[in-house]
Amino acid sequence: MLAMLVAMAAAGQPISYTEKSGSFAAPAWEIGRTVLTIADVNLDGHPDLLSIGDHGSPFFGGSQIGGIAVWLGDGKGNFSHAQTGSFGYGGIAVGDVNNDGLQDVAYGMHHNWSATDFGDQVLEVALGDGSGMSWTPWDDNLGLQGQWWGMFGCALADFDNDGWLDLASNAFGCCDGIHAYLNNRDGSWTPVMTRLEGNSDMDIQGADFNNDGFMDIATSHQHGSTWLGDGKGGFTIGDAGLPGSGGLLGRVGVSAGDIDGDGFGICSSNKSWLSKRELDNFTVSLPIFLLIGIFLHIFKQFSLSIFFCIMIAICNIQAGL
C-alpha cells in the first residue's frame, strides 16, 4: 500500500510529519520494486503520483494495479485513482515529448503482456490528453533492439539539443542493458545507444556533468555509471575518477545533483563523488591549504593545523592524488 507523509513546520521550528495514506488503501499492490514519480499530469496545479506497479502488475498475486496508474491530487493530501492498460512492473518518467503543453509518460517494464499496441513492448512512450486518465501510444521502434527480459528506469532529456525530449532507459536486472533514443517528433524513435551486455539496477537520470551544454546520463550499470553526451545523441563512458566498478549491478541508487554549488556531482546509495570540474577546484586548493597549515603550525595553532592537514588529506583522496 502506498503511504504519504506530509511535512509541516512553522518558521524556525522542527519539521513534523502527518500521514495522509487514506487515499491509497485501494487498489492493492503485491510486492517487489517499482518507481513512483510526482508530476501534475492533469494541469490543475496540484501534484499527482504515477506508477506502472510492482511485481503483481498487471492484476495477479493479489495486485489490483495494471497499466499506467495515476493518483490525482487535490492539493490537500487527498488522491483519486485512475488506471489504464494491462501491463506493468517497471519504472516511469513524465515529460512533454510532443511539445503540445500536456504531460506524457515514458515507461520501461518487465510484464509487457498487453495484446494491443498499448503495453506490448518492454519500453514505451504514451501521449497524455491532460486528464491523467487517457494515453495514446507514441512508441514506434522503442525496445526492439534485442531487449527481451525487461526495461525499467526511464529518463526524458534533450540529448541532441533540438528542443524535443529524447529517451534513455536502463534494464531490469540482467542482459538488456542501457539504451538511448532520439525523438523523431512523429511517434517514432531512433536508437543512438544500444548496450545489451551486463547487469543493471534500474536507476537512470539525465544531467550535464561536464558543463558543456550537452545532456549526459547517470545510471546503475555493471559497465559504467556516467555516459557523456556529445549533443548529437552519441555517448562515451565518463567514469574516470570514480572508485571501483560498483560490483555486479554497478553503482546502486545513482542520482545526479550539484553537491557543492560549483557543478554537477554523482551520488550512489553508499557513496558520492564530485565531477571533474569540482575535482579540479579541490586540486587547485591543495597548495593554499598546505601553506596555511605550515603557518599555523609555526605559530603553535596545533588544533587548526591538524584541521588543515585533514583538509589536505581529503583533497588528495577526492582528487585521486
Side-chain angles (χ1 to χ4, degrees):
M1 184 185 77
L2 290 178
M4 172 168 286
L5 297 176
V6 179
M8 297 180 295
Q13 299 298 315
I15 294 176
S16 63
Y17 294 88
T18 300
E19 185 173 358
K20 299 283 288 186
S21 301
S23 302
F24 307 121
W29 294 63
E30 192 212 15
I31 194 172
R33 294 184 294 175
T34 190
V35 171
L36 286 165
T37 192
I38 299 175
D40 181 12
V41 293
N42 60 351
L43 305 180
D44 64 354
H46 306 312
D48 310 309
L49 297 175
L50 296 92
S51 178
I52 63 168
D54 61 5
H55 178 268
S57 178
F59 313 116
F60 74 94
S63 173
Q64 298 170 329
I65 301 289
I68 300 172
V70 181
W71 289 261
L72 300 172
D74 66 359
K76 301 177 182 178
N78 304 306
F79 293 83
S80 57
H81 173 257
Q83 62 186 25
T84 308
S86 183
F87 55 86
Y89 194 15
I92 189 169
V94 179
D96 182 5
V97 299
N98 63 341
N99 287 349
D100 65 351
L102 304 177
Q103 294 296 315
D104 312 310
V105 291
Y107 45 94
M109 69 182 106
H110 185 43
H111 296 163
N112 54 315
W113 298 343
S114 175
T116 73
D117 185 36
F118 185 45
D120 64 345
Q121 299 166 201
V122 295
L123 183 62
E124 296 188 340
V125 167
L127 302 181
D129 67 353
S131 70
M133 297 182 285
S134 179
W135 308 94
T136 301
W138 218 61
D139 57 11
D140 290 351
N141 205 33
L142 289 177
L144 302 178
Q145 289 67 50
Q147 303 98 312
W148 62 275
W149 180 245
M151 301 303 294
F152 213 101
C154 292
L156 290 168
D158 185 2
F159 293 123
D160 58 355
N161 284 1
D162 66 350
W164 291 68
L165 290 177
D166 307 305
L167 173 63
S169 183
N170 192 16
F172 173 84
C174 167
C175 308
D176 281 356
I178 313 166
H179 300 265
Y181 302 81
L182 296 185
N183 186 344
N184 295 330
R185 312 181 190 183
D186 59 1
S188 67
W189 301 78
T190 298
V192 290
M193 178 182 183
T194 299
R195 301 185 66 90
L196 288 170
E197 77 284 357
N199 299 299
S200 302
D201 194 52
M202 83 185 194
D203 303 298
I204 193 165
Q205 188 172 346
D208 181 6
F209 288 107
N210 54 355
N211 292 319
D212 62 355
F214 305 139
M215 291 299 290
D216 310 313
I217 294 172
T219 188
S220 298
H221 188 268
Q222 182 179 3
H223 298 314
S225 297
T226 56
W227 300 86
L228 303 179
D230 63 3
K232 301 177 183 178
F235 295 90
T236 56
I237 189 70
D239 277 5
L242 297 183
S245 65
L248 188 61
L249 295 178
R251 297 174 176 93
V252 177
V254 165
S255 184
D258 188 352
I259 296 174
D260 68 349
D262 187 40
F264 276 103
I266 183 171
C267 179
S268 78
S269 59
N270 58 352
K271 290 185 179 180
S272 64
W273 305 276
L274 304 181
S275 67
K276 184 180 186 302
R277 176 178 170 182
E278 295 167 314
L279 293 179
D280 288 343
N281 289 338
F282 264 125
T283 306
V284 169
S285 301
L286 283 174
I288 298 174
F289 281 130
L290 183 60
L291 290 174
I292 294 174
I294 293 171
F295 176 83
L296 291 173
H297 183 73
I298 293 173
F299 287 93
K300 309 301 182 181
Q301 300 294 320
F302 293 113
S303 59
L304 287 176
S305 65
I306 291 173
F307 167 76
F308 276 94
C309 286
I310 294 173
M311 291 300 296
I312 292 170
I314 292 174
C315 289
N316 279 317
I317 293 170
Q318 295 284 5
L321 300 178

